[in-house]
Amino acid sequence: MAIADDLKKTLTDPTPLYFAAGTADLAVEQAKKVPGLIEQLRAEAPARIEAVKNTDPKVVQEKAKEAQEAVTAKVAEVFGAIDPKKLGETAQDLALRGVGVAAEYAVRAKETYDKVAERGEQAVRGWRGEVAEEIVDIAGAVEPEAERAPSEASADGASAEEKPAAKRTTARKSTAKKAAAVPGEES
């Protein structure tokens, strides 16, 4: 029975859909920056092409040869310094550090997933127009119809007290949580 409950919970959880909506929202935000980057590349391209044309191939070959010699010397130094006795201890230490780093990255990934899902939830609300509805609900709470003067009449002549109150047919979650800042998001 626990498996069925877990499966039901997994299939009814909207968080992955909100994550997808948040990812789409971030992608749109980043895509808006592309035209500016293209213009920047277009402006810088002639200078970069000219710099490549003016580069002497012999200088490039000499620098590549120097880099290769430096890497070869460093590799020989590292392999020469390896002590077989300490190698096992070092491997174990590195493995433990790796587990710690992996756990840290898993926590960060979960936090980022939650932030993007929360952004997606806000984006979906905006797309649905629920934000506007919530503002109307807040305005209604600030100035409820019961506080209005009974002398106010509607266009059809009925007073506010005679009209039945509108019923809400859908339940909404509380909006007390603020959207957390997502890396790369402009406020």
Side-chain angles (χ1 to χ4, degrees), residues 42-61:
R42 187 176 290 154
E44 294 175 359
R48 290 184 181 199
I49 292 172
E50 193 63 33
V52 170
K53 285 181 181 178
N54 294 335
T55 303
D56 185 15
K58 291 181 182 179
V59 173
V60 174
Q61 286 177 346

Side-chain angles (χ1 to χ4, degrees), residues 73-159:
K74 192 67 172 174
V75 168
E77 178 183 330
V78 168
F79 281 126
I82 293 177
D83 183 11
K85 292 179 183 178
K86 291 187 178 182
L87 189 60
E89 294 172 7
T90 304
Q92 185 178 10
D93 185 44
L94 288 175
L96 290 174
R97 286 184 189 177
V99 169
V101 169
E104 182 181 341
Y105 282 135
V107 169
R108 286 184 184 175
K110 174 66 172 145
E111 290 172 354
T112 303
Y113 175 81
D114 290 341
K115 287 178 183 178
V116 173
E118 199 167 315
R119 178 188 177 115
E121 184 174 359
Q122 295 298 322
V124 168
R125 285 185 180 176
W127 297 336
R128 286 179 164 173
E130 287 181 11
V131 174
E133 291 177 9
E134 289 173 5
I135 291 171
V136 170
D137 292 344
I138 292 170
V142 171
E143 186 182 335
E145 287 187 26
E147 291 183 20
R148 293 185 186 156
S151 62
E152 292 182 55
S154 64
D156 62 355
S159 69

